[in-house]
Amino acid sequence: MKLLQSVLLASLLLPAAVFAGEANKARIITSGEKPSECIASVHVNRIDNREVKVEELGFDIDSGTHTLSARARINTSFCKAVGIATGRHSAEPIEAEFEAGKTYWIGYDHSASNRRDWKLVIWKVEDSPQS
């Protein structure tokens, strides 16, 4: 019974843990998507041109300017693309200034009819909850 209670408590705390970041770091959320606005979730695979393995839901990064590379799985349910657009897509890297104590939602904007205009975007920024 105690194990079940522990598991339930941990599952309730997980969402807060995903969004809470360290005080001297920025939090990156990559799992958020907005299909109706043609924003797909991404999986970051390179930071500052170095291959990385980061959590798919999100991760912390040192404050400062960084270049992120990512891949996305496109959902065309809401945003129809010309030609074949399903599957994984690699995007041009995005360079941005990440401020400590902030949470950044990063996604793949595939709203343009021309795939060459699809890009990684920061679609939301908020102050991070303190852990």
Side-chain angles (χ1 to χ4, degrees):
M1 188 60 154
K2 288 232 183 238
L3 178 60
L4 180 58
Q5 289 173 338
S6 297
V7 170
L8 288 174
L9 179 60
S11 68
L12 292 173
L13 295 176
L14 180 61
V18 166
F19 293 104
E22 294 180 36
N24 61 343
K25 298 200 179 247
R27 184 79 179 144
I28 307 297
I29 304 296
T30 57
S31 60
E33 60 182 30
K34 298 177 93 172
S36 63
E37 295 180 27
C38 306
I39 302 289
S41 62
V42 298
H43 176 71
V44 172
N45 53 12
R46 297 182 80 75
I47 299 174
D48 298 330
N49 209 24
R50 289 181 305 217
E51 193 170 327
V52 296
K53 291 190 187 288
V54 295
E55 292 293 324
E56 289 195 33
L57 293 176
F59 56 93
D60 291 334
I61 191 168
D62 290 332
S63 60
T65 301
H66 296 284
T67 302
L68 306 178
S69 298
R71 293 186 356 204
R73 181 173 287 295
I74 305 299
N75 175 350
T76 58
S77 299
F78 291 94
C79 304
K80 301 297 183 201
V82 176
I84 300 170
T86 58
R88 295 192 181 276
H89 292 269
S90 292
E92 288 294 317
I94 185 172
E95 182 178 74
E97 176 75 24
F98 297 100
E99 186 179 330
K102 300 264 185 200
T103 299
Y104 298 82
W105 278 259
I106 295 178
Y108 190 54
D109 180 348
H110 58 98
S111 59
S113 59
N114 186 339
R115 280 187 225 157
R116 287 179 282 190
D117 296 330
W118 292 1
K119 62 188 173 205
L120 287 173
V121 295
I122 297 171
W123 58 271
K124 182 178 177 183
V125 179
E126 287 184 353
D127 290 334
S128 295
Q130 298 304 312
S131 48

